[in-house]
Amino acid sequence: MPIIVNLDVMMAKRKISLNELSERVELTLSNLSILKTGKAKAIRFSTLDAICKALDCQPGDILEYVVDKESKDDR
Amino acid sequence: MIKINTRMITKSKDLVFKGLHVVAWMIFIALCIEAGSLVVNFIYSLVNPRVVHNLYMKLDLSDMYEKNRWIFFGMYSFLLFIALLKAYLFYIVIRLLMKFDLSNPFSSFVSEQINQISYYTFSIGIISYIARQIARNMEHHGIDTNKLNQFWADSQAYILMSAVIYIIATIITKGVEIQKENELTV
């Protein structure tokens, strides 16, 4: 998928652990790790809002769009 | 009051489900016996052609055998194939019922099994239909195939049923996809 989740990068920048973040955003550890590993298919605005609040960042710091090879070939 | 009603409905559903499980096992065993007997008869008729007048369920195909051996083997192969497919179909049904969880019914395993059930039902229907048409043609050539009608009389019902099961399978597959997507939404 061309959307990359940079949650681990932001967590490292803010020096915050997954446990701490899960407590702050009130998400389960398993859900956070789904998001962190890029397995998630969708993200709710409320989740994004909570994460941005907890990490003091913008949605663009967490999500990144990268053109993958397949969609490049289609053009 | 509502809680008691829901509990009673769940209990009765469980009971119906268990009953269906038992019925499926009984049908599967019966179909296995039928397919097994037909296989044994087929092998035995190759070794000892005298048995063709008294095959499975007192089926007498001696006339057909005497007129043309290859027609006998051809028609018998259809019979055998349909019986084996029916047995395998119920094997899939049992496999599905064994792993089916009423509290979490939508899984990729269930959708895959229901899809397979629809494919096998369709195969049985179409093979039975072809066999029936061939048997009808044989009658024009003076070969009596009336005794075989009981084995492929319900070909159209199988084809119709396969279409219905396919629709249900498609709905379940879509449901499983949506459920997976929901599970992966954080």
Side-chain angles (χ1 to χ4, degrees):
Chain A
M1 204 154 83
I3 302 286
I4 291 173
V5 181
N6 289 323
L7 186 65
D8 44 353
V9 178
M10 274 320 287
M11 277 165 64
K13 275 185 187 168
R14 299 287 185 262
K15 289 177 184 162
I16 190 168
S17 69
L18 202 67
N19 275 321
E20 210 180 326
L21 186 65
S22 88
E23 273 169 25
R24 280 199 206 172
V25 297
E26 288 173 354
L27 265 180
T28 60
L29 267 174
S30 61
N31 270 346
L32 261 185
S33 69
I34 285 171
L35 188 63
K36 209 180 103 179
T37 50
K39 285 178 190 164
K41 292 232 174 190
I43 180 166
R44 289 190 193 94
F45 277 135
S46 56
T47 310
L48 201 58
D49 173 55
I51 291 171
C52 287
K53 216 175 261 174
L55 296 175
D56 188 26
C57 64
Q58 291 298 312
D61 298 328
I62 298 163
L63 304 174
E64 187 187 352
Y65 176 73
V66 178
V67 182
D68 65 343
K69 224 183 166 185
E70 278 176 29
S71 50
K72 234 181 191 179
D73 292 341
D74 288 343
R75 286 175 198 175
Chain B
M1 190 72 179
I2 295 166
K3 256 188 182 175
I4 294 166
N5 269 344
T6 327
R7 224 179 276 165
M8 272 173 72
I9 290 166
T10 319
K11 237 182 182 179
S12 65
K13 267 184 188 169
D14 275 359
L15 214 70
V16 170
F17 193 70
K18 275 178 190 162
L20 282 174
H21 200 158
V22 173
V23 171
W25 263 108
M26 278 158 60
I27 296 171
F28 175 62
I29 292 166
L31 287 171
C32 279
I33 292 169
E34 188 186 88
S37 318
L38 285 169
V39 169
V40 170
N41 273 185
F42 186 70
I43 296 165
Y44 203 54
S45 67
L46 288 172
V47 183
N48 183 11
R50 274 179 295 172
V51 296
V52 291
H53 69 87
N54 192 13
L55 294 164
Y56 171 70
M57 300 274 274
K58 292 187 176 168
L59 188 67
D60 182 7
L61 295 176
S62 51
D63 260 11
M64 191 188 282
Y65 188 85
E66 277 159 22
K67 278 182 183 162
N68 193 330
R69 256 173 72 178
W70 296 112
I71 290 174
F72 166 78
F73 285 125
M75 294 316 285
Y76 202 91
S77 301
F78 269 122
L79 250 169
L80 206 64
F81 199 52
I82 292 164
L84 289 171
L85 276 176
K86 278 181 185 172
Y88 190 68
L89 175 72
F90 268 84
Y91 169 69
I92 299 170
V93 172
I94 282 170
R95 206 166 54 182
L96 172 66
L97 288 175
M98 296 268 264
K99 287 194 180 174
F100 191 74
D101 180 14
L102 269 177
S103 55
N104 185 23
F106 295 106
S107 66
S108 50
F109 174 78
V110 170
S111 76
E112 208 176 277
Q113 296 306 302
I114 296 176
N115 262 317
Q116 273 198 13
I117 289 171
S118 84
Y119 295 147
Y120 279 100
T121 311
F122 182 71
S123 308
I124 292 166
I126 206 81
I127 293 166
S128 302
Y129 188 77
I130 292 166
R132 202 172 70 173
Q133 293 307 318
I134 292 172
R136 270 188 196 166
N137 261 344
M138 292 298 152
E139 277 186 359
H140 291 303
H141 296 284
I143 295 164
D144 181 30
T145 55
N146 277 336
K147 292 159 199 161
L148 297 171
N149 278 350
Q150 52 167 325
F151 291 97
W152 42 63
D154 44 7
S155 63
Q156 277 154 340
Y158 270 101
I159 293 172
L160 211 76
M161 209 160 75
S162 75
V164 174
I165 297 170
Y166 183 73
I167 292 167
I168 294 168
T170 312
I171 293 167
I172 289 176
T173 310
K174 197 72 201 160
V176 170
E177 248 174 57
I178 291 168
Q179 185 179 287
K180 239 183 201 172
E181 211 167 276
N182 264 341
E183 279 168 3
L184 289 173
T185 299
V186 288

